[in-house]
Amino acid sequence: MTNMNRINKKLQEDKKLLSIYFSAGYPNLNDTVSILENLEENGVDMIEIGLPFSDPLADGPTIQASSTQALKNGMTTEVLFNQLKDIRKTVSIPLIIMGYFNPMLQYGVEAFCKRCQDIGIDGLIIPDLPVNVYNEQYKATFEKYGLINVFLITPQTSIERINFIDSISNGFIYMVSSASVTGGNSGFGSEQTNYFNRIAHMTLKNPQIVGFGILDNETFSQATQYAKGAIIGSAFIKHLSKNGTKKIKAFVDNILNS
Amino acid sequence: MTNMNRINKKLQEDKKLLSIYFSAGYPNLNDTVSILENLEENGVDMIEIGLPFSDPLADGPTIQASSTQALKNGMTTEVLFNQLKDIRKTVSIPLIIMGYFNPMLQYGVEAFCKRCQDIGIDGLIIPDLPVNVYNEQYKATFEKYGLINVFLITPQTSIERINFIDSISNGFIYMVSSASVTGGNSGFGSEQTNYFNRIAHMTLKNPQIVGFGILDNETFSQATQYAKGAIIGSAFIKHLSKNGTKKIKAFVDNILNS
Amino acid sequence: MKYNINNKGYYGDFGGAYIPEMLYPNVEELRQNYLKIMAEPSFKEEFDQLLKDYVGRPSPLYLAKRLSAKYNTKIYLKREDLNHTGAHKINNTIGQILVAQRLGKKRIIAETGAGQHGVATATVCALMGMECIVYMGEIDIARQAPNVARMKMLGAKVVPALSGSRTLKDATNEAIRDWINNPVNTHYIIGSVVGPHPYPDMVARFQSVVSEEIQWQLKEKEGKTTPDYIVACVGGGSNAAGAFYHYLENTDVKLIAVEAAGKGIHSGESAATSVLGKEGIIHGSKTLLMQTDDGQITEPYSISAGLDYPGVGPMHAHLYKTGRAEFISITDNEAMTAGLELSQLEGVIPAIETAHSLAIFDHKKFKEDDIVVINLSGRGDKDLQNYIDYFDL
Amino acid sequence: MKYNINNKGYYGDFGGAYIPEMLYPNVEELRQNYLKIMAEPSFKEEFDQLLKDYVGRPSPLYLAKRLSAKYNTKIYLKREDLNHTGAHKINNTIGQILVAQRLGKKRIIAETGAGQHGVATATVCALMGMECIVYMGEIDIARQAPNVARMKMLGAKVVPALSGSRTLKDATNEAIRDWINNPVNTHYIIGSVVGPHPYPDMVARFQSVVSEEIQWQLKEKEGKTTPDYIVACVGGGSNAAGAFYHYLENTDVKLIAVEAAGKGIHSGESAATSVLGKEGIIHGSKTLLMQTDDGQITEPYSISAGLDYPGVGPMHAHLYKTGRAEFISITDNEAMTAGLELSQLEGVIPAIETAHSLAIFDHKKFKEDDIVVINLSGRGDKDLQNYIDYFDL
Ligand SMILES: Cc1ncc(COP(=O)(O)O)c(C=O)c1O
Ligand SMILES: Cc1ncc(COP(=O)(O)O)c(C=O)c1O
């Protein structure tokens, strides 16, 4: 089992998982590592490291703004990889890079994947790399470098498509709480919990982790009633923008035990 | 010969005639009579009294402005007739009313002519009453009330048309110095003197009086080399606007002997 | 021919050429030649070709479904707004520039109110490489700024008319003065069915392409060449003349002429000539005009620069006097509201002039199966700022 | 079919649908239905009828005599400027609104640069009584104010895009975000041949009416359906796609695509994608785009809001890569000068976008008997203030 991906290992733990997203290089260029370390220290289970992009069209205003700032700070693909090169010396929870496809394409997809493996990245989330393109062109490469590619589903995703996505996934399914760009909501209504419930009852092979709209203990608890875990993005970025890298413990505590 | 129109009598005098145009009611509403008296006193031979019109489209800026002011001062057809009702007690040179056709039409052409006769007006100049309309519709009326209608000719008027106009005229022909609205020129060039000469050699039955562009002794002398007389309009209006009704003698002297 | 012009240049009691002698040679030259020129095959060919390839004719006859539903009758819009430069005015300027060329003229002058005629004139002058001077009232220069900009782009000189009400009437006076000053090389392209004969007739003939097209377009769509009503706004009256032309003598077709009531017919700020006018002479033509008892021409008012004129063309004076056309007066507010309504119901922003025609439905009820053709004389791009300000959009 | 799209949604290497899963249902619904819907007789009938009666098609093919004389070749202008709303954009929005209706959508969103697509979208929404939201970069809102006013008149909501370069690219991002947030009732009317498959193909098909008409119009005028050259400007590339469409596979017809060089190709302020771009992904499509080595999309610059875009549609990337089309880059100054020239030579004020196409004569010499068709994609009314300021008119 030594070769098992950290994501899969983590998913086997008997607990609800808290995953945190943040934009690399935000608020300051060199905050990346300390944020990662801080998050692990304070009990976060998994982290999505955002590779900033100039045109993040699936993100809401908060993440957009943090991306823009990170780029202004000097963040690039190369800078991020350099920042992370020794990360596995200090951080052991699963790390996922989340970013748009164009910067990866320019880096070279294979080179990108290889570098991720070298560093110890466990998976990728690429919102604008569609399932079929991945499947036909990039699956082999990702697998060669031991990377889990995480796909999204939304309330509008058909049952057939969910089943298909489940069939080609080998980590977890990113369950978008509502078909909505990040950071737009507060609290889940019956429409969303019905949807969580519907997916939970599909008994998919991959566990689901809910993203979009998780911002506090209440939404985290709601989501994880139905799913294996939940991802917090905008709420954490807002926290960073207000407090910098301080008080991360308070933020995480507040989510986990309110 | 007592019934002979004052205009015809004047034209028989063996001298070059100076005729002056001004807008009735300008600079002040009640200046009309004193200007008339003053002009006669100072040796002017004939006067065109302008009946102001809102849209004097054959006039240049100076006369336009004086018309507008006169209307603002309260000048109307009725007011003018009232101002003039005793004019023949003090003024004996020929008096011509010059105005656009619409106000006459509204007054009633016959009523207008009758009133002119009652007052002792000798003729009319109506720039926008075309020769043929006059001939067909109004000639009889004008004649009934002893009014001479004065027609204009320009450098562009054809020989045939000049001859026709001569044939239906019974006073003088108003020879427009150039086909140009009033007040636009200064001094005559060879083009204009050639034209004066050409008309002089047609030996028309009616004498010609030159108008437009006469502004000083020089232009008056030039024009009257070829014609029986000349009319000053804009230059006199400018004099009035600067000096009011004063110094009229100086103005006239300046034209007649420089 | 009872409603069209007679061989003396009159529509009934109206028309003629009441012009100063200084204009006689020009107007007479035109009078003697316009019909001859227009009958030349080479003229017809060039005119038709330009209307098709340059202006974009035929302009569509568009069934406005949502507007029709709202007023429970069948409304067609004759889309003169789609012409090059955005109004009917260009039909006339194309015609006149070809006439001017054939008369050997080198310099073109024009008056303009809304600026549409000025733009249409500047356009044909650019097309033909001729000098162009456009007179425009100072007030109109301010309220129709986009059209002033267009004229400048097209290389025309725009000269402000500073006298009187500083609107269309005064611009016309200035243009006439220019013509008097430049009698030999200049043609004056009058922009409506006003002015001395032969202008009203010549302009009406150039605009008559509108009703010529309506005839065959209706035939295609409705199986007959005649509508029940034709509606057009009247400033000088050229778009109305064009839309009415081929129906003038067919009294089955009811004609509706729409005038600007400004702030109300009896508000003292209006341009409703048929109601307020009397017979008289304006710009060389005997017609109806707004004037004082004393015969001074009244300064008119309308929110629309193109209808802000104290007279109407002699054809319309005749149509009014004989009852051949019904005249309806529309206030600023009614027009603006109708303009906004058409924009949001049909996606067509009309010129404010045109918007007057669209406002008649509160004044006049039509039957469900009536066919009502409204001449959509121009687009509202020039009026956007006015609309925006008016409705605080 | 070598140059047109293949059945996987690619033009050679370019195209596809690189979209977030949140958009998958919408884009997939469209992909599965667009060809079916477009083939329905009732669709075709309604589309053709609206193009004719509402848009005013066919747009003329006009032989520009004075321009031809100046450049000693035979230049035809395809007059898309005469379309309702003043540009080619409406061909596409009419098509898409009919598709949206058939898909049961109630709410329409769009991005716009020059505002022409926004106006064209607002127009068809008014026509069909649908809600309309238009995203527009803050910079473009300022420089294309007349079009903003028109959208408001038409009842659309204009939402400023405040991120990035605050131009077309960013407006597109915002529109995509809106669509992600409103996945069920909303159709996104993309305004050019960009975006995920099937948009580039769908938009090209709606715009293909342009070359369809050129074929028979040239046949009428020149006795053959093919010109020697077709010239069109390329922002996203929809007017070019429409003008090229029926000639794509006929290599006797040379295609010229004109891009905006801004202040100079290598000035750092440019939108000359073919020269400066590399393969990558923008707005859901694999194509050429201007980007950093790191794959960040570059902020483009052009004086014309409609060409101020860092990518081109995948069809054009393919035409460039295969050499099927020649690409010419035109600076701001060259475009402005050509726009003024056309205004004063032909009486047609072009959009600044279009003016780029008119500026190629200093870059490319044609033979005297070459037939050069320039797609006159839009009129310059929206750009008057820019022209006036630029030339201090
Ligand atoms: C669009 C439009 N409609 C109507 C008019 C009024 O003119 P007419 O009465 O000659 O049609 C104008 C005048 O500029 C105009 O621009
Ligand atoms: C007149 C005009 N031409 C061209 C364009 C560029 O778009 P496209 O390349 O899709 O034709 C625009 C865009 O707004 C436009 O308004």
Side-chain angles (χ1 to χ4, degrees):
Chain A
M1 289 286 277
T2 46
N3 265 340
M4 194 190 230
N5 185 297
R6 288 181 199 87
I7 295 172
N8 296 120
K9 259 190 246 160
K10 177 60 84 178
L11 288 165
Q12 287 178 356
E13 291 182 14
D14 185 21
K15 62 177 289 204
K16 297 299 182 180
L17 305 180
L18 172 61
S19 186
I20 296 277
Y21 168 94
F22 74 100
S23 302
Y26 180 85
N28 301 301
L29 181 61
N30 292 316
D31 288 342
T32 317
V33 170
S34 88
I35 291 173
L36 289 170
E37 291 171 353
N38 242 295
L39 287 171
E40 172 164 53
E41 235 161 67
N42 289 297
V44 165
D45 296 296
M46 189 159 70
I47 303 173
E48 280 85 29
I49 306 166
L51 175 60
F53 183 50
S54 55
D55 294 77
L57 45 74
D59 290 303
T62 307
I63 296 184
Q64 262 184 77
S66 69
S67 272
T68 305
Q69 186 57 49
L71 289 171
K72 274 200 198 128
N73 292 345
M75 182 50 72
T76 67
T77 309
E78 197 53 49
V79 167
L80 178 61
F81 283 145
N82 280 333
Q83 288 179 344
L84 296 180
K85 69 176 189 305
D86 294 326
I87 198 68
R88 283 309 177 192
K89 295 190 178 150
T90 53
V91 173
S92 58
I93 56 173
L95 297 178
I96 294 171
I97 288 183
M98 181 162 182
Y100 289 81
F101 193 43
N102 197 54
M104 301 180 192
L105 209 52
Q106 299 313 313
Y107 198 89
V109 175
E110 173 139 17
F112 193 95
C113 290
K114 183 169 184 316
R115 195 74 187 269
C116 284
Q117 188 187 42
D118 292 348
I119 289 167
I121 297 295
D122 306 294
L124 296 170
I125 304 177
I126 310 162
D128 61 342
L129 176 61
V131 177
N132 63 326
V133 176
Y134 167 76
N135 227 20
E136 287 162 22
Q137 297 181 48
Y138 300 110
K139 191 164 185 282
T141 310
F142 278 48
E143 286 174 355
K144 179 171 165 196
Y145 296 102
L147 293 168
I148 284 175
N149 192 29
V150 177
F151 299 108
L152 280 56
I153 65 170
T154 80
Q156 275 65 46
T157 310
S158 67
I159 293 184
E160 299 71 42
R161 189 164 170 86
I162 293 173
N163 282 324
F164 171 67
I165 285 172
D166 188 40
S167 76
I168 62 161
S169 295
N170 56 354
F172 64 90
I173 289 174
Y174 189 136
M175 185 160 67
V176 176
S177 68
S178 67
S180 151
V181 293
T182 57
N185 290 312
S186 63
F188 296 121
S190 61
E191 211 178 310
Q192 281 149 326
T193 51
N194 288 345
Y195 155 63
F196 297 160
N197 203 19
R198 175 164 63 83
I199 303 300
H201 281 83
M202 282 181 77
T203 56
L204 301 171
K205 134 188 141 189
N206 293 278
Q208 302 95 53
I209 297 191
V210 176
F212 291 46
I214 315 289
L215 42 84
D216 50 18
N217 176 269
E218 188 195 338
T219 43
F220 179 74
S221 307
Q222 261 186 303
T224 52
Q225 264 177 46
Y226 306 91
K228 177 68 185 166
I231 304 175
I232 295 184
S234 299
F236 183 62
I237 304 278
K238 279 181 197 151
H239 177 85
L240 288 176
S241 87
K242 212 155 129 197
N243 308 291
T245 53
K246 276 171 262 157
K247 304 197 198 166
I248 290 183
K249 180 173 168 27
F251 180 83
V252 176
D253 284 354
N254 190 42
I255 303 294
L256 292 179
N257 13 259
S258 188
Chain B
M1 290 284 278
T2 47
N3 264 342
M4 194 188 230
N5 186 299
R6 289 181 198 88
I7 294 171
N8 296 120
K9 258 190 246 162
K10 177 60 79 176
L11 289 164
Q12 287 178 356
E13 291 180 15
D14 185 21
K15 62 178 286 205
K16 299 298 182 179
L17 305 180
L18 171 61
S19 186
I20 296 277
Y21 168 93
F22 74 101
S23 302
Y26 179 85
N28 300 301
L29 181 62
N30 292 316
D31 287 341
T32 318
V33 170
S34 87
I35 291 172
L36 290 171
E37 291 171 352
N38 244 294
L39 287 171
E40 172 163 50
E41 235 161 67
N42 289 296
V44 165
D45 296 297
M46 188 157 71
I47 303 174
E48 280 86 28
I49 306 166
L51 175 60
F53 183 50
S54 54
D55 293 77
L57 45 74
D59 290 303
T62 308
I63 295 184
Q64 263 183 76
S66 69
S67 272
T68 304
Q69 186 56 50
L71 289 172
K72 272 200 200 130
N73 292 344
M75 183 49 73
T76 67
T77 310
E78 196 53 49
V79 167
L80 178 61
F81 283 145
N82 279 333
Q83 289 179 344
L84 297 180
K85 70 177 191 300
D86 295 325
I87 198 66
R88 283 309 178 192
K89 293 188 181 153
T90 53
V91 174
S92 57
I93 57 173
L95 296 177
I96 295 172
I97 288 182
M98 182 163 183
Y100 290 80
F101 194 42
N102 197 53
M104 300 181 192
L105 209 52
Q106 297 314 313
Y107 199 90
V109 175
E110 172 138 19
F112 192 97
C113 290
K114 182 169 186 312
R115 196 74 187 271
C116 285
Q117 187 187 44
D118 291 348
I119 288 168
I121 296 296
D122 306 294
L124 295 171
I125 304 178
I126 310 164
D128 61 344
L129 177 61
V131 177
N132 63 328
V133 175
Y134 167 76
N135 227 21
E136 287 163 24
Q137 296 179 48
Y138 301 111
K139 190 163 185 282
T141 309
F142 277 47
E143 286 175 354
K144 178 171 164 196
Y145 296 102
L147 293 169
I148 286 175
N149 192 30
V150 177
F151 298 108
L152 278 56
I153 65 171
T154 82
Q156 275 66 45
T157 311
S158 68
I159 293 184
E160 299 71 43
R161 190 165 169 85
I162 294 174
N163 283 324
F164 171 67
I165 285 172
D166 189 40
S167 77
I168 62 162
S169 294
N170 56 355
F172 63 91
I173 289 175
Y174 190 135
M175 186 160 67
V176 176
S177 67
S178 68
S180 151
V181 292
T182 58
N185 290 313
S186 63
F188 296 120
S190 62
E191 210 179 311
Q192 281 150 327
T193 52
N194 288 344
Y195 154 65
F196 297 160
N197 202 17
R198 175 164 63 81
I199 303 300
H201 281 84
M202 282 182 75
T203 56
L204 300 171
K205 133 189 141 188
N206 294 278
Q208 302 96 53
I209 296 192
V210 176
F212 290 44
I214 315 289
L215 41 84
D216 51 17
N217 176 270
E218 189 196 337
T219 42
F220 180 75
S221 306
Q222 263 187 302
T224 51
Q225 263 177 44
Y226 306 91
K228 178 67 186 167
I231 304 176
I232 295 183
S234 300
F236 182 62
I237 303 278
K238 278 180 198 152
H239 177 88
L240 287 176
S241 86
K242 211 156 129 196
N243 308 291
T245 53
K246 276 171 262 157
K247 305 196 199 167
I248 289 182
K249 179 172 169 31
F251 180 84
V252 175
D253 284 353
N254 191 43
I255 303 294
L256 291 178
N257 14 259
S258 188
Chain C
M1 286 232 280
K2 217 174 130 206
Y3 298 108
N4 213 327
I5 200 160
N6 67 24
N7 57 13
K8 295 199 148 166
Y10 281 81
Y11 300 85
D13 297 335
F14 303 106
Y18 293 80
I19 49 166
E21 184 63 27
M22 296 81 118
L23 290 180
Y24 181 83
N26 284 322
V27 172
E28 183 62 11
E29 180 185 30
L30 200 60
R31 190 185 68 77
Q32 288 183 1
N33 289 291
Y34 81 111
L35 292 177
K36 250 186 277 172
I37 290 173
M38 288 174 70
E40 284 167 12
S42 77
F43 176 94
K44 282 177 113 107
E45 194 186 313
E46 202 176 345
F47 182 61
D48 291 347
Q49 190 76 31
L50 284 171
L51 286 190
K52 177 165 172 281
D53 289 347
Y54 186 70
V55 175
R57 303 205 70 90
S59 70
L61 186 67
Y62 164 69
L63 176 61
K65 285 196 194 143
R66 280 166 35 94
L67 194 69
S68 297
K70 169 141 194 197
Y71 293 109
N72 202 28
T73 188
K74 197 161 191 180
I75 303 171
Y76 281 96
L77 304 178
K78 179 61 174 163
R79 298 290 304 278
E80 294 299 298
D81 63 311
L82 292 180
N83 293 344
H84 182 46
T85 69
H88 66 291
K89 296 285 182 188
I90 193 143
N91 303 323
N92 169 44
T93 61
I94 293 270
Q96 285 202 46
I97 199 87
L98 296 178
V99 169
Q101 282 185 323
R102 281 157 178 78
L103 293 176
K105 305 294 178 179
K106 299 281 172 255
R107 182 175 173 274
I108 298 293
I109 56 172
E111 88 295 341
T112 197
Q116 287 299 135
H117 174 61
V119 168
T121 303
T123 295
V124 297
C125 287
L127 181 65
M128 300 303 177
M130 283 165 91
E131 188 185 351
C132 181
I133 294 100
V134 180
Y135 292 90
M136 187 168 188
E138 201 183 26
I139 300 252
D140 294 339
I141 285 181
R143 65 177 155 170
Q144 307 276 231
N147 277 343
V148 177
R150 292 164 87 194
M151 287 184 261
K152 288 182 182 165
M153 267 299 280
L154 293 160
K157 193 173 153 202
V158 181
V159 181
L162 305 170
S163 62
S165 52
R166 291 168 293 144
T167 58
L168 179 54
K169 162 177 87 71
D170 313 287
T172 308
N173 291 339
E174 290 305 330
I176 291 175
R177 284 188 189 106
D178 180 309
W179 210 17
I180 289 175
N181 282 323
N182 296 280
V184 180
N185 66 343
T186 298
H187 175 71
Y188 176 18
I189 299 191
I190 295 186
S192 192
V193 288
V194 300
H197 179 67
Y199 277 103
D201 184 45
M202 180 171 66
V203 175
R205 284 171 188 261
F206 288 137
Q207 291 293 359
S208 72
V209 65
V210 175
S211 48
E212 194 182 307
E213 289 174 3
I214 293 174
Q215 288 182 310
W216 62 257
Q217 287 171 326
L218 268 184
K219 181 83 186 172
E220 260 180 37
K221 289 178 197 295
E222 297 285 343
K224 55 175 190 171
T225 58
T226 53
D228 296 294
Y229 291 89
I230 301 199
V231 183
C233 65
V234 174
S238 66
N239 87 83
F244 296 168
Y245 199 85
H246 290 281
Y247 299 110
L248 279 175
E249 316 298 339
N250 179 350
T251 51
D252 290 346
V253 179
K254 281 149 265 171
L255 309 177
I256 298 181
V258 183
E259 289 185 317
K263 299 189 176 164
I265 294 178
H266 301 294
S267 66
E269 296 189 73
S270 158
T273 306
S274 70
V275 187
L276 301 172
K278 285 177 297 179
E279 296 183 18
I281 287 162
I282 181 171
H283 297 140
S285 170
K286 192 179 241 183
T287 187
L288 288 174
L289 63 139
M290 289 161 52
Q291 51 185 314
T292 63
D293 290 344
D294 201 39
Q296 306 296 341
I297 300 175
T298 308
E299 297 189 0
Y301 165 80
S302 163
I303 195 170
S304 69
L307 305 185
D308 195 352
Y309 185 72
V312 288
M315 175 198 279
H316 298 292
H318 185 51
L319 296 179
Y320 177 73
K321 192 167 178 182
T322 58
R324 173 68 186 94
E326 179 179 357
F327 280 66
I328 296 179
S329 304
I330 295 297
T331 63
D332 288 356
N333 186 51
E334 291 170 320
M336 295 302 276
T337 305
L340 186 62
E341 176 177 276
L342 189 75
S343 304
Q344 303 198 345
L345 274 183
E346 297 286 350
V348 176
I349 306 173
I352 298 178
E353 289 76 16
T354 313
H356 285 74
S357 305
L358 295 158
I360 61 166
F361 296 100
D362 292 337
H363 292 254
K364 174 100 191 161
K365 295 282 165 251
F366 298 92
K367 293 203 293 279
E368 193 171 341
D369 60 353
D370 277 342
I371 296 174
V372 180
V373 173
I374 298 181
N375 196 23
L376 206 81
S377 59
R379 59 169 134 97
D381 294 48
K382 68 185 181 63
D383 297 313
L384 289 170
Q385 200 54 53
N386 296 325
Y387 278 123
I388 298 279
D389 292 348
Y390 196 86
F391 293 111
D392 202 10
L393 290 177
Chain D
M1 287 232 280
K2 216 174 131 204
Y3 297 107
N4 213 328
I5 199 160
N6 67 23
N7 57 14
K8 295 198 148 170
Y10 281 81
Y11 299 85
D13 297 334
F14 303 105
Y18 294 79
I19 48 164
E21 185 62 28
M22 295 82 117
L23 290 179
Y24 181 84
N26 284 321
V27 172
E28 184 61 12
E29 179 184 29
L30 201 60
R31 192 186 66 78
Q32 288 184 2
N33 289 291
Y34 82 111
L35 292 178
K36 248 185 280 172
I37 289 173
M38 287 174 70
E40 283 167 13
S42 77
F43 177 93
K44 281 176 112 108
E45 195 186 311
E46 202 176 345
F47 182 61
D48 291 348
Q49 189 74 34
L50 283 171
L51 285 191
K52 177 166 172 278
D53 289 348
Y54 186 70
V55 174
R57 302 205 72 89
S59 71
L61 186 68
Y62 165 68
L63 176 60
K65 287 196 192 141
R66 281 169 30 98
L67 194 69
S68 296
K70 169 140 193 198
Y71 293 109
N72 202 29
T73 188
K74 197 161 191 180
I75 304 171
Y76 281 97
L77 304 178
K78 178 62 174 162
R79 299 289 304 277
E80 294 299 299
D81 64 310
L82 291 180
N83 292 344
H84 181 47
T85 70
H88 66 292
K89 296 284 183 189
I90 193 145
N91 302 324
N92 168 44
T93 61
I94 293 270
Q96 286 202 45
I97 198 87
L98 296 178
V99 169
Q101 282 184 325
R102 280 158 179 78
L103 294 175
K105 306 293 180 181
K106 299 281 173 257
R107 181 174 173 274
I108 297 294
I109 57 172
E111 88 295 340
T112 197
Q116 286 299 135
H117 175 60
V119 168
T121 303
T123 296
V124 297
C125 288
L127 180 65
M128 300 302 177
M130 282 166 92
E131 188 185 349
C132 180
I133 293 100
V134 180
Y135 293 91
M136 187 168 188
E138 201 182 24
I139 300 253
D140 294 340
I141 286 181
R143 65 177 156 171
Q144 307 279 228
N147 277 343
V148 177
R150 292 164 86 194
M151 288 184 261
K152 289 182 181 165
M153 266 301 280
L154 293 160
K157 194 174 151 200
V158 181
V159 180
L162 305 170
S163 61
S165 52
R166 291 167 293 145
T167 59
L168 179 53
K169 164 176 86 71
D170 313 287
T172 309
N173 291 339
E174 291 305 330
I176 291 174
R177 285 189 188 104
D178 180 309
W179 210 16
I180 289 175
N181 282 322
N182 296 281
V184 180
N185 67 342
T186 297
H187 175 71
Y188 176 18
I189 299 190
I190 295 187
S192 192
V193 287
V194 301
H197 180 66
Y199 277 103
D201 184 46
M202 180 172 66
V203 175
R205 285 171 188 261
F206 288 137
Q207 291 293 358
S208 71
V209 64
V210 174
S211 47
E212 193 183 306
E213 289 173 2
I214 293 173
Q215 289 182 310
W216 62 256
Q217 287 171 326
L218 268 184
K219 180 85 187 170
E220 260 181 37
K221 289 178 199 294
E222 297 285 342
K224 55 175 189 171
T225 58
T226 53
D228 296 293
Y229 292 89
I230 301 198
V231 184
C233 64
V234 173
S238 66
N239 87 82
F244 296 168
Y245 199 86
H246 290 280
Y247 299 109
L248 279 175
E249 315 298 341
N250 179 351
T251 51
D252 290 348
V253 179
K254 281 150 265 171
L255 309 178
I256 298 181
V258 184
E259 290 184 317
K263 299 189 175 163
I265 293 177
H266 301 293
S267 67
E269 296 188 73
S270 159
T273 306
S274 70
V275 188
L276 301 173
K278 285 178 298 182
E279 295 184 18
I281 287 162
I282 181 171
H283 297 140
S285 170
K286 192 179 241 183
T287 186
L288 288 174
L289 62 139
M290 290 163 52
Q291 51 184 315
T292 63
D293 290 342
D294 201 40
Q296 306 297 341
I297 299 176
T298 308
E299 296 189 358
Y301 165 80
S302 163
I303 196 171
S304 70
L307 304 185
D308 194 353
Y309 184 71
V312 289
M315 174 197 280
H316 299 291
H318 185 52
L319 296 178
Y320 177 73
K321 192 167 177 181
T322 57
R324 173 70 186 92
E326 179 178 358
F327 279 65
I328 295 179
S329 303
I330 296 295
T331 63
D332 288 356
N333 186 51
E334 291 170 321
M336 296 301 276
T337 305
L340 185 62
E341 176 178 277
L342 188 75
S343 304
Q344 301 196 349
L345 274 183
E346 296 287 351
V348 176
I349 306 172
I352 298 178
E353 289 77 16
T354 312
H356 286 73
S357 305
L358 295 158
I360 60 166
F361 297 100
D362 292 335
H363 293 254
K364 174 101 191 160
K365 294 284 166 250
F366 299 93
K367 294 204 293 280
E368 193 171 340
D369 60 354
D370 277 342
I371 296 173
V372 180
V373 173
I374 299 181
N375 195 24
L376 207 81
S377 59
R379 59 168 134 98
D381 294 49
K382 68 187 182 60
D383 297 314
L384 289 170
Q385 199 55 53
N386 297 325
Y387 278 124
I388 298 279
D389 293 348
Y390 196 87
F391 293 111
D392 202 11
L393 291 178

